[in-house]
Amino acid sequence: MKYKIAVFFSLVFLLLSCKNDNQKRIAENKKEMQRREVIFTNIEKGWVFYDTPVTEASEKSIASWNEWRIFLAELAQKPKKTIGAFQKKSEALSKKVMALNDNIPFEYNKPQIKSRISTLITKVRLLDLFIHLDNIPDKKVTLLVSEINLELVSLQRQMDKIVEKSKIPLEEGESDLLKMMDTTRAIPNTPIIDPNLPRVE
């Protein structure tokens, strides 16, 4: 009899504890859903890119620089509905920004532009990394979006400076001076050996 009572109480205890676990699990799931909704709304509000050219040079480069045009078009399309859509978008942005290094137009193929592209690539890849974390840092993601915007403006202004600089006419003799400063055209600095000097072998 005592054995039956003990089994009965242990079954009742087990059922009550399972019920409490289910309630705890439901409450935790609810909190997790609310937290994800907050993260989603924060990212959705902060996901605003400067997808239109800021400078005249940048606008003209869209016609000749296909990768730049594709990257700006990708920035213009804002994802909707889920975090998964933002993750896919950041992945696509990461691929498109890597392509910017491939076919830089000759006039922009300069260290100033390349360094800004490298910085832009780093920021976009960081965005892709942070948005794919299990616990997404929404503040970090929105901060990276604003930093990417600053890099975009910096890159476009540098393009404009290069175009403006190319419009300045060269002074007389300046082209000869530039040729003389070109290290690729320099005579190699090897010692001249006099064939008349005795050699030790």
Side-chain angles (χ1 to χ4, degrees), residues 155-168:
L155 176 62
Q156 293 179 50
R157 287 199 175 132
Q158 190 61 46
M159 286 177 182
D160 211 31
K161 281 182 187 176
I162 288 172
V163 169
E164 290 301 315
K165 215 174 195 183
S166 69
K167 289 178 183 176
I168 299 171

Side-chain angles (χ1 to χ4, degrees), residues 134-158:
D134 289 335
N135 192 4
I136 300 170
D138 52 334
K139 289 179 181 148
K140 198 91 161 167
V141 168
T142 53
L143 178 69
L144 275 168
V145 168
S146 63
E147 288 176 5
I148 288 169
N149 283 333
L150 290 174
E151 292 305 324
L152 284 168
V153 170
S154 173
L155 176 62
Q156 293 179 50
R157 287 199 175 132
Q158 190 61 46

